[in-house]
C-alpha cells in the first residue's frame, strides 16, 4: 500500500538539516532531495514536511532521523497518510 510520511518540525533561523529514513532508506521530498533544512529567514515556524509516497506493507517499521548539519532541531510529530 502506498502512503505518505509527514514530519512536522520547527523551522527557525540557524535551524539544522536532517534526513529521515524509513527502514534504512531515505525518504525524499518533492524534487528528490533527501535532506531537509529546518530553517526560516526570520521567524520561528512549525511546518509540515511531506515526503514522496512510499510502499508500506503491514508490520513494524523503523523511522530514523539523522542530523546532517548543526543547528537546533525541534520535532513535533511524524504522521502517515495511507492511500
Amino acid at each position: 500500500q502506498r502512503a505518505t510520511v509527514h514530519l512536522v518540525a520547527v523551522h527557525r533561523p540557524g535551524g539544522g538539516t536532517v534526513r529521515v529514513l524509513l527502514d534504512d532508506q531515505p525518504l525524499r521530498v518533492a524534487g528528490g532531495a533527501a535532506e531537509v533544512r529546518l530553517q526560516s529567514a526570520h521567524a520561528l515556524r512549525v511546518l509540515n514536511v511531506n515526503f514522496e509516497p512510499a510502499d508500506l506493507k503491514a508490520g513494524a517499521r523503523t523511522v530514523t532521523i539523522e542530523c546532517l548539519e548543526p543547528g537546533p532541531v525541534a520535532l513535533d510529530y511524524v504522521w502517515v497518510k495511507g492511500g
Side-chain angles (χ1 to χ4, degrees):
Q1 175 179 347
R2 301 287 285 169
T4 304
V5 176
H6 300 262
L7 170 70
V8 177
V10 171
H11 291 63
R12 57 169 286 164
T17 299
V18 299
R19 176 173 42 216
V20 179
L21 299 104
L22 178 65
D23 296 331
D24 296 324
Q25 298 299 314
L27 294 175
R28 300 192 180 280
V29 296
E35 297 83 25
V36 177
R37 295 183 70 205
L38 300 176
Q39 297 183 2
S40 66
H42 303 289
L44 183 135
R45 303 182 298 162
V46 177
L47 297 174
N48 181 51
V49 177
N50 59 310
F51 296 96
E52 293 179 346
D55 289 319
L56 292 179
K57 296 181 180 168
R61 298 284 169 250
T62 301
V63 175
T64 305
I65 300 171
E66 298 178 329
C67 292
L68 302 177
E69 293 181 11
V73 174
L75 309 175
D76 198 358
Y77 56 92
V78 174
W79 64 283
V80 179
K81 179 181 180 184

